[in-house]
Amino acid sequence: MNGIHDMGGMHGFGVVPIEDKEPVFHEPWEGRVFGLAFAVNRQGLLNPEGMRLFLESLEPSFYIGATYYEKWLAALQAGLVFKGIIAKNEFVNRLESVISDPDMSLDRSEVGEITQKISDAINTHISPVRDVAVEPNFSPGDMVKVKNINPRGHTRLPRYVRGKKGVIYRYYGVHDFDDSRSQGLGDCPQPLYNVMFSASELWGSNTSTRDTLHIDMWESYIEREQE
């Protein structure tokens, strides 16, 4: 979808702050949200692509003003409510209880099996390459053009590159298609490439001729460009 999250190439948002020796989590609750996201994923309740769809559906003014993990928490809540796993009033009631009694005792008991799944997910590398019989239609060096499409759901294709011309730089193999997985339409594996664009192609002539931008793209995003 074309939403506020797709900010590439937009102006007016100020300098990106760079924090010296930035911690992994600024507050303990951020770590808990991170763990919650893994728990939800490992139990098959909401996959990462589905969570991105709910992130991108957040109200624009909230999205701009929220911190990274505030967005994660809001997306998790929206996704779990949408799927009927938790009722919205459960969140509201618990929040009201905590606000009225900040020192209330909360049940922090750990479920051993879920905890182990989270640990396994964090510490185990699983190759994203799918061993399926799908042949790529492009090779490194091929000239391609990005399709000018506007999907209504989640997509990994940024707006500023649509309709632009580039060169296949690398072929990664066959990967699950995130756009499809986010909507529960299956894995739909297809070839994945790294496409190189010149800065002038994306941003105009007032750029360095030495600068390039590399973007990973599934095959359905691109078409062959005649040299």
Side-chain angles (χ1 to χ4, degrees):
M1 65 178 67
N2 296 332
I4 190 61
H5 65 282
D6 191 359
M7 302 170 72
M10 296 176 67
H11 297 163
F13 291 97
V15 177
V16 176
I18 300 177
E19 186 176 345
D20 186 38
K21 297 181 180 179
E22 182 178 8
V24 176
F25 302 113
H26 290 82
E27 299 289 344
W29 70 266
E30 294 183 339
R32 290 195 287 272
V33 170
F34 181 81
L36 177 61
F38 265 93
V40 167
N41 171 240
R42 297 306 289 181
Q43 293 182 88
L45 303 178
L46 185 66
N47 63 33
E49 297 78 22
M51 182 174 163
R52 289 192 184 101
L53 178 61
F54 288 102
L55 272 169
E56 295 161 5
S57 301
L58 295 174
E59 203 278 326
S61 61
F62 172 81
Y63 189 95
I64 292 176
T67 65
Y68 186 77
Y69 283 107
E70 285 174 344
K71 295 172 188 174
W72 271 43
L73 182 58
L76 281 169
Q77 177 180 336
L80 294 175
V81 169
F82 178 82
K83 288 179 172 289
I85 297 168
I86 298 178
K88 186 175 182 179
N89 67 296
E90 290 184 73
F91 285 107
V92 175
N93 292 341
R94 175 52 65 93
L95 180 60
E96 290 177 346
S97 297
V98 174
I99 291 175
S100 62
D101 183 9
D103 298 322
M104 69 179 295
S105 177
L106 300 177
D107 180 11
R108 301 186 184 279
S109 60
E110 295 184 341
V111 180
E113 183 179 354
I114 296 176
T115 303
Q116 187 60 50
K117 286 183 177 180
I118 296 173
S119 177
D120 292 344
I122 294 174
N123 295 298
T124 303
H125 172 71
I126 301 176
S127 174
V129 180
R130 295 290 301 275
D131 184 16
V132 293
V134 177
E135 293 296 323
N137 287 315
F138 303 99
S139 301
D142 287 350
M143 294 288 297
V144 295
K145 182 177 181 180
V146 183
K147 297 177 181 178
N148 188 9
I149 55 178
N150 295 277
R152 295 182 62 85
H154 166 71
T155 182
R156 305 290 279 180
L157 180 62
R159 278 178 294 182
Y160 66 85
V161 79
R162 298 173 193 173
K164 303 297 184 179
K165 301 175 184 178
V167 179
I168 299 293
Y169 183 80
R170 182 180 177 185
Y171 171 56
Y172 291 120
V174 178
H175 291 238
D176 292 340
F177 188 37
D178 281 3
D179 297 31
S180 176
R181 283 174 53 82
S182 71
Q183 300 179 64
L185 301 177
D187 295 337
C188 300
Q190 59 177 269
L192 180 67
Y193 307 90
N194 180 274
V195 183
M196 180 176 68
F197 300 88
S198 67
S200 60
E201 174 69 13
L202 298 178
W203 315 120
S205 58
N206 190 26
T207 55
S208 171
T209 57
R210 297 179 299 175
D211 291 343
T212 59
L213 181 67
H214 293 248
I215 301 179
D216 295 340
M217 294 187 168
W218 275 276
E219 189 167 281
S220 59
Y221 291 166
I222 56 179
E223 57 192 6
R224 192 171 300 279
E225 173 67 13
Q226 299 299 323
E227 298 185 29

